[in-house]
Amino acid sequence: MFEFPSAKQVALPQLWRSPRFRTWRNLGCGVMALAIVLCSLQVPGLALGVKFSPTSPRLGETLILNLTAASPSVPPVVKMGIKTYPAFGVGGDRFRAMIPTTPLEKPGVREVTISTPNDPKATATLKIAIADRKFPTQRINFTPGKAGIEATPEELKQVLAFKATVSPIKFWDGKFIAPNQGRTSSPFGVRRYYNGEFANDYYHRGLDYAGSYGSAVVAPAAGKVVLIGYEKKGFRIHGNVVGVDHGQGVVSIFLHLSKIDVEEGQMLASGDRIGAVGATGSAAGPHLHWGLYVNAVSIDPVQWRSTAIE
């Protein structure tokens, strides 16, 4: 993580020439090396204590902003582009906001603004460099005239509503664990060519585990079961599916199950059994697809398994 020194009403050129920042320059902490550029710190009323991770973010990763606000009762407003991301209290005057990135985006600098809702002039602006990342590609060829399986309208409606779940309580604690003991057969972010044509809007939204048929699927973190769907009831793409809300905009979805062992509304601890690996829905063979979403966007679960996001 990287922590900004607090500052109030300090212009960037003056800040950069100050003794504190001259020391940083001498240490070789260049802007691009830190992957962060401060472009405005005019923040009266906003105590700017910002911890940012990962320090060198890549496409597909979640940007974590830990913020200190002027008031514990007024969460800061966090925006990137036209989107606003919720900031949740994590104790005292501290808040956390999470910004997802995807393999479909272009690498480069993103501008993030942090402000207080009762004072539009109290604003900090960050420029964050998102590094490029190479994702594997697959080539899939369909026979002429072959029609793929299509999702039902009700299936799409329920799944989209689930992915957009943002509840105020944080259920998860520490690192996420693997939901199945099988090897990872398909990583996050795989891009595809269909009949020789590149699919610009596609990337593999999760991790596939090549677990044996009937092997256990467990909760990677604590949460609440908020979605259950069955192939026989119209879930043609997802098959038998379970969705778990981990809280504060973080949700997991588990596809192609042969068996579901939980009920909607049930609370789960990390490692609790959800169901079993299967091949229901749009699956060529037995495997588990685990998708992890942050603020309705599919992100790389590997980051959440390797780092405890508190």
Side-chain angles (χ1 to χ4, degrees):
M1 286 189 176
F2 171 79
E3 185 169 6
F4 291 111
S6 62
K8 293 184 179 181
Q9 296 179 302
V10 180
L12 179 59
Q14 295 171 324
L15 183 68
W16 190 246
R17 288 195 296 267
S18 68
R20 174 184 288 183
F21 277 77
R22 188 178 303 116
T23 300
W24 286 23
R25 296 200 308 272
N26 292 340
L27 290 174
C29 296
V31 167
M32 293 309 296
L34 289 173
I36 298 173
V37 182
L38 279 73
C39 62
S40 174
L41 283 176
Q42 296 178 349
V43 287
L46 178 65
L48 180 60
V50 182
K51 289 184 178 180
F52 172 82
S53 67
T55 54
S56 299
R58 303 178 302 160
L59 293 176
E61 294 181 332
T62 307
L63 309 179
I64 311 297
L65 294 175
N66 289 295
L67 314 166
T68 302
S71 170
S73 61
V74 183
V77 177
V78 178
K79 291 185 177 181
M80 187 170 74
I82 62 173
K83 293 186 178 181
T84 300
Y85 297 91
F88 293 97
V90 293
D93 58 356
R94 296 178 297 114
F95 295 84
R96 182 194 58 248
M98 297 183 290
I99 302 177
T101 68
T102 79
L104 301 182
E105 301 172 27
K106 292 182 178 180
V109 175
R110 307 289 194 273
E111 187 172 281
V112 178
T113 60
I114 307 166
S115 61
T116 56
N118 54 358
D119 186 357
K121 294 182 180 179
T123 301
T125 305
L126 312 177
K127 286 188 176 181
I128 303 172
I130 308 297
D132 200 359
R133 182 178 173 188
K134 300 300 182 183
F135 294 96
T137 58
Q138 294 177 336
R139 294 182 179 272
I140 297 178
N141 295 306
F142 293 120
T143 57
K146 181 180 179 180
I149 300 175
E150 295 183 356
T152 64
E154 184 61 25
E155 176 183 10
L156 289 177
K157 178 182 177 181
Q158 290 191 47
V159 170
L160 287 174
F162 161 73
K163 291 175 181 177
T165 300
V166 180
S167 54
I169 301 174
K170 173 180 174 287
F171 298 119
W172 85 86
D173 182 25
K175 295 180 182 180
F176 282 47
I177 65 172
N180 182 259
Q181 294 303 307
R183 65 177 179 85
T184 302
S185 55
S186 185
F188 170 85
V190 170
R191 310 300 302 276
R192 283 181 177 169
Y193 288 85
Y194 290 102
N195 289 349
E197 185 174 347
F198 186 68
N200 290 307
D201 60 349
Y202 172 86
Y203 68 94
H204 188 232
R205 289 167 166 81
L207 296 175
D208 284 353
Y209 290 86
S212 59
Y213 188 93
S215 60
V217 175
V218 303
K224 180 180 181 180
V225 179
V226 296
L227 172 69
I228 290 180
Y230 291 94
E231 184 178 41
K232 63 183 180 183
K233 293 185 178 181
F235 281 74
R236 293 194 299 222
I237 291 290
H238 297 78
N240 298 335
V241 60
V242 171
V244 175
D245 174 22
H246 302 295
Q248 299 185 346
V250 183
V251 299
S252 284
I253 191 166
F254 308 92
L255 278 57
H256 313 309
L257 304 175
S258 62
K259 184 181 180 182
I260 294 175
D261 296 318
V262 293
E263 298 178 352
E264 192 168 339
Q266 182 175 338
M267 297 301 301
L268 300 172
S270 178
D272 282 354
R273 184 181 173 103
I274 291 173
V277 169
T280 56
S282 179
H287 73 282
L288 170 69
H289 175 93
W290 170 35
L292 185 63
Y293 288 74
V294 171
N295 291 320
V297 175
S298 170
I299 50 80
D300 192 348
V302 171
Q303 177 188 3
W304 289 71
R305 286 199 55 199
S306 59
T307 303
I309 299 175
E310 303 296 347

